[in-house]
Amino acid sequence: MNDLTGSVLYSVTEQLLKEVEHSYKSTGRLTDEILSALQFVFQTTLLPALDLVDQRNVTRLSSPSGRIIYQVVGSSGTPYTCLATSIYCSCPAYRFSVLLKQDHIMCKHTLAIRLAITMDLCKELKVSNQELVKAITSID
């Protein structure tokens, strides 16, 4: 994927997430048009990501210092740590499908985080600064 394609996909993703937020806040659901657009852009990662959101598997960890990371319990029960400001995830699919093959924009865990944030469906967990550092340093 070249820089221009990546930039366009990022812009499309951000616009779609704004539409998700508007639809969900006003009606409590996603319209068929939004779901169709999300499916077109995210393809095979969308349904698993929505399932993770529905199961409330996305947790926002925040520390007294103001730092935030996210953890998503994957379908296998494994917790994956993701950074709030990027599409990085500690899962193998991120390394393979996003970085190596470049056939996905993001893995299902980072998409689940973006959707959960947008729909205000993250669990919240306050942790100490030390616990947050431990979670960050355990990222592969």
Side-chain angles (χ1 to χ4, degrees), residues 25-136:
K25 284 185 178 179
S26 63
T27 66
R29 66 181 201 86
L30 302 179
T31 65
D32 290 341
E33 292 87 14
I34 291 173
L35 286 171
S36 180
L38 287 168
Q39 180 65 38
F40 179 77
V41 172
F42 296 107
Q43 301 173 9
T44 58
T45 57
L46 178 63
L47 291 179
L50 287 171
D51 190 45
L52 292 170
V53 173
D54 284 343
Q55 292 180 27
R56 302 296 191 266
N57 285 0
V58 178
T59 303
R60 178 181 188 261
L61 284 73
S62 61
S63 70
S65 66
R67 289 177 174 77
I68 297 169
I69 62 171
Y70 290 85
Q71 286 189 332
V72 180
V73 177
S75 52
S76 67
T78 303
Y80 296 105
T81 302
C82 306
L83 305 176
T85 56
S86 73
I87 60 166
Y88 174 80
C89 182
S90 62
C91 76
Y94 174 77
R95 288 185 204 103
F96 184 71
S97 296
V98 178
L99 293 180
L100 185 63
K101 286 181 55 185
Q102 297 184 356
D103 62 357
H104 287 84
I105 298 169
M106 59 184 74
C107 70
K108 67 182 179 182
H109 308 110
T110 53
L111 180 55
I113 289 168
R114 299 296 304 271
L115 292 168
I117 290 169
T118 302
M119 297 186 296
D120 198 25
L121 294 174
C122 292
K123 292 189 287 187
E124 299 284 334
L125 182 61
K126 304 266 186 216
V127 296
S128 69
N129 290 329
Q130 293 79 13
E131 289 170 310
L132 195 72
V133 167
K134 184 177 178 183
I136 291 171

